[in-house]
């Protein structure tokens, strides 16, 4: 997974761009917009743009150093995948609770308005006296306001295909049906015949598919071939998640180990596929790996110290009841690692690219100067990314926060309750890993690119680096001096 002795372009669409080893000595680089040396056409002065990918490949020595670090890591990931590969989720009897129920598809064929009492609807309970919204008098059942809708549903899949049943929708219901609308049916084969089917959800296949197609089209139109590779990496990442991580956890493997191996596989595939097999990408991989290890250590420390069980909602409790061998706290740690991975990739790639571009802009810059300049970019990135992560978790937990607000609970009580403390630990541990990834990746990238340019300028590099560009500029200046005379 690391660059070999032949450094490839970042992407297949970088056609027409030669590597540093292929450029003849004395040709002006893309940044040299002045006249070329006599005897050379002007084509090489503008033919090598920075917009297509990374700068010139690093030396063979540095590629070997990077390979020594990453090849054993990639081999360990492949070994982990082979050893822990689950071969599918283990079978179990459906409990019929929550999401663990058999489902079939259905379709609404007829809707009519009926009186709620005659239709068999249960009267809504009136609030107790004195509560907000209550009548202030004796509590009792209140009649629904408005007519009910009696929907006739047809089963369109399974052993009872073609069978129909009715569903009564009360006026206060948030979900309404339309004729011809597809629905998801919960199927309870052991229930009485008239109660075997009920509507559990609506069929959203068409709008979700259209939205996914619009997303893919936007990515391809803007990103072009790189966007295509990003979509392929996304599909592969989803495949690793659904075919390895989730089934392996259900099979009883340690969730933290599974998340580290699966997340590392996703990282290697996504980064190298989207950004190319290059030293620059390899530096981003090492920075991401370092931050993931830090997140794993901090997550393990603080989930144990704060006595977080991870069993804070109905879904987690249902999973634990179906598969008691699953370590729920490990599931919480796995979620922290996987949730932080995507943002980590963005930060490390951005910082590595910034260092490479800064070195191209100023080939004489030392690693300290590069580090300082790139860190100024990184600090802006940290501020925006941390804020994004916090708001993302807050948005996902908004209904929960509303419940605490309604209960008029104090900030301390809310923050230290397990269900909120779990999200706080998840957010802060992930944010610490993101913050740490900036200086680590920036320092590593600055050291690599500076060491490579030093070797190239002293003649020990594998190909022309700064020395070749400086030579080209010197020849160009010499040509101008001769013409001046």
């Amino acid at each position: 997974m690391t660059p070999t002795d032949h450094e490839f372009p970042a992407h297949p669409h970088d056609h027409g761009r030669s590597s540093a080893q292929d450029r003849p000595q004395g040709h002006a680089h893309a940044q040299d917009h002045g006249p070329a040396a006599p005897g050379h056409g002007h084509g090489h002065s503008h033919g090598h743009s920075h917009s297509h990918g990374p700068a010139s490949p690093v030396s063979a020595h540095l590629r070997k150093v990077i390979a020594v670090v990453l090849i054993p890591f990639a081999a360990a990931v492949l070994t982990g995948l082979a050893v822990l590969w689950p071969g599918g989720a283990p079978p179990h009897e459906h409990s019929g609770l929550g999401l663990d129920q058999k489902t079939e598809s259905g379709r609404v064929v007829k809707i009519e308005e009926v009186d709620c009492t005659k239709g068999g609807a249960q009267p809504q309970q009136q609030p107790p006296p004195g509560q907000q919204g209550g009548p202030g008098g004796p509590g009792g059942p209140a009649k629904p306001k408005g007519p009910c809708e009696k929907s006739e549903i047809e089963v369109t899949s399974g052993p009872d295909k073609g069978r129909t049943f009715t569903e009564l929708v009360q006026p206060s219901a948030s979900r309404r049906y339309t004729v011809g609308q597809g629905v998801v049916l919960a199927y309870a084969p052991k229930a009485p015949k008239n109660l075997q089917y009920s509507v559990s959800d609506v069929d959203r296949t068409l709008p979700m598919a259209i939205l996914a197609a619009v997303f893919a089209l936007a990515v391809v139109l803007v990103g072009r071939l790189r966007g295509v590779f990003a979509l392929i990496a996304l599909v592969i990442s989803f495949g690793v998640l659904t075919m390895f991580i989730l089934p392996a956890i259900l099979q009883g493997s340690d969730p933290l180990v599974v998340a580290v191996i699966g997340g590392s596989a996703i990282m290697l595939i996504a980064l190298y596929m989207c950004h190319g097999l290059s030293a620059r990408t390899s530096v981003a991989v090492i920075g991401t790996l370092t931050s993931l290890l830090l997140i794993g250590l901090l997550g393990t420390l603080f989930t144990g110290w704060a006595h977080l069980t991870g069993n804070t909602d109905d879904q987690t409790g249902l999973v634990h009841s179906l598969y008691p061998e699953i370590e729920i706290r490990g599931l919480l740690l796995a979620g922290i690692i996987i949730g932080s991975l995507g943002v980590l990739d963005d930060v490390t790639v951005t910082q590595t690219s910034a260092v490479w571009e800064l070195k191209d802009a100023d080939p004489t810059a030392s690693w300290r100067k590069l580090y300082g300049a790139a860190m100024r970019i990184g600090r802006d990135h940290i501020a925006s990314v941390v804020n994004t992560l916090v708001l993302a978790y807050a948005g996902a937990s908004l209904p929960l926060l509303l419940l605490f607000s309604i209960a008029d609970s104090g900030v301390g009580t809310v923050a230290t309750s397990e269900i909120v403390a779990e999200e706080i630990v998840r957010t802060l541990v992930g944010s610490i890993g993101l913050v740490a990834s900036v200086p680590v990746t920036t320092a590593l990238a600055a050291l690599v690119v500076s060491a490579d340019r030093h070797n190239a300028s002293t003649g020990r590099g594998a190909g022309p680096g700064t020395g070749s560009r400086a030579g080209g500029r010197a020849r160009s200046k010499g040509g101008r001096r001769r013409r001046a005379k």
Side-chain angles (χ1 to χ4, degrees):
M1 304 298 292
T2 57
T4 58
D5 289 339
H6 297 282
E7 187 83 22
F8 295 101
H11 293 280
H13 70 283
D14 291 338
H15 56 276
R17 175 180 176 168
S18 61
S19 67
Q21 290 92 332
D22 298 329
R23 287 198 298 268
Q25 294 285 342
H27 284 197
H29 193 265
Q31 292 176 332
D32 302 327
H33 297 289
H40 294 284
H42 63 279
H44 289 285
S45 298
H46 303 280
H48 302 287
S49 170
H50 293 295
S51 61
H52 291 291
S56 303
V58 300
S59 63
H61 174 71
L62 280 177
R63 290 201 297 273
K64 291 177 181 178
V65 172
I66 294 172
V68 167
V69 176
L70 287 183
I71 288 180
F73 168 66
V77 171
L78 290 175
T79 303
L81 288 173
V83 171
L84 297 179
W85 192 263
H92 74 283
E93 290 292 331
H94 290 282
S95 64
L97 301 175
L99 297 175
D100 185 44
Q101 55 188 348
K102 292 184 177 180
T103 59
E104 301 290 349
S105 59
R107 181 172 59 92
V108 180
V109 295
K110 183 180 178 181
I111 296 177
E112 61 177 335
E113 291 186 353
V114 297
D115 182 78
C116 290
T117 305
K118 293 181 181 179
Q122 294 294 324
Q124 296 173 323
Q125 292 297 319
Q126 192 168 321
Q131 285 192 3
Q132 186 176 359
K143 294 183 179 180
K145 296 180 180 180
C148 290
E149 290 183 351
K150 185 178 182 181
S151 304
E152 185 176 339
I153 313 295
E154 179 185 4
V155 181
T156 57
S157 68
D160 298 320
K161 183 177 180 180
R163 177 177 165 184
T164 60
F165 66 96
T166 58
E167 186 98 358
L168 198 65
V169 181
Q170 296 199 32
S172 59
S174 58
R175 180 185 297 157
R176 297 285 175 169
Y177 306 123
T178 58
V179 175
Q181 182 180 17
V183 291
V184 179
L185 307 178
Y187 176 47
K190 296 181 180 180
K193 188 173 181 179
N194 62 329
L195 298 176
Q196 286 182 335
Y197 289 95
S198 62
V199 178
S200 63
D201 207 345
V202 298
D203 186 2
R204 302 182 180 88
T205 303
L206 182 60
M208 298 296 287
I210 292 177
L211 179 60
V214 172
F215 163 74
L217 181 62
V219 171
V220 172
L221 286 178
V222 177
R224 300 185 180 180
L225 192 57
R226 181 172 295 190
V228 173
F229 279 103
L231 291 176
I232 296 174
L234 178 62
V235 172
I236 295 175
S237 299
F238 187 75
V240 173
L241 179 64
T242 56
M243 297 175 63
F244 172 72
I245 296 178
L246 299 180
I249 292 175
L250 292 178
Q251 291 282 8
S253 300
D254 188 298
L256 180 59
V257 175
V258 171
V260 169
I261 294 174
S264 299
I266 291 173
M267 173 187 66
L268 292 172
I269 293 170
L271 286 179
Y272 281 114
M273 181 169 287
C274 294
H275 303 285
L277 188 63
S278 65
R280 187 168 78 171
T281 306
S282 298
V283 171
V285 167
I286 296 174
T288 304
L289 174 61
T290 304
S291 301
L292 279 180
L293 293 176
L294 176 61
I295 289 173
L297 292 174
L298 290 177
T300 302
L301 172 63
F302 283 97
T303 54
W305 194 4
H307 301 286
L308 299 178
T309 64
N311 192 4
T312 55
D313 54 32
D314 294 339
Q315 287 77 16
T316 307
L318 179 58
V319 170
H320 188 51
S321 64
L322 295 174
Y323 299 94
E325 65 277 7
I326 292 179
E327 211 281 300
I328 300 298
R329 182 178 294 174
L331 199 61
L332 171 62
L333 291 171
I336 294 174
I337 291 175
I338 295 173
S340 304
L341 182 60
V343 189
L344 270 177
D345 290 350
D346 172 51
V347 172
T348 55
V349 169
T350 300
Q351 288 305 115
T352 307
S353 298
V355 172
W356 246 261
E357 295 301 326
L358 287 169
K359 185 64 176 181
D360 273 347
D362 184 4
T364 62
S366 65
W367 82 268
R368 292 181 181 275
K369 184 176 180 181
L370 291 174
Y371 177 80
M375 278 300 297
R376 286 193 289 272
I377 299 172
R379 291 186 187 98
D380 290 337
H381 206 178
I382 287 173
S384 60
V385 167
V386 169
N387 194 45
T388 299
L389 196 63
V390 172
L391 292 179
Y393 282 126
S397 306
L398 196 57
L400 174 65
L401 297 178
L402 287 174
L403 288 177
F404 278 110
S405 179
I406 292 171
D408 197 22
S409 301
V411 175
T413 303
V414 173
T416 56
S417 62
E418 181 173 4
I419 193 169
V420 176
E422 180 179 302
E423 296 302 324
I424 292 176
V425 170
R426 189 196 310 269
T427 302
L428 295 183
V429 167
S431 298
I432 292 171
L434 289 174
V435 171
S437 69
V438 173
V440 169
T441 307
T442 304
L444 183 60
L447 288 171
V448 168
V449 76
S450 298
D452 177 65
R453 295 305 187 266
H454 174 72
N455 290 340
S457 63
T458 56
R460 293 183 300 221
T466 302
S468 66
R469 290 197 296 271
R473 283 193 291 269
R475 290 177 176 86
S476 178
K477 291 178 181 178
R480 285 196 295 271
R481 283 195 296 269
R482 284 193 294 271
R483 284 196 297 272
K485 292 179 181 180

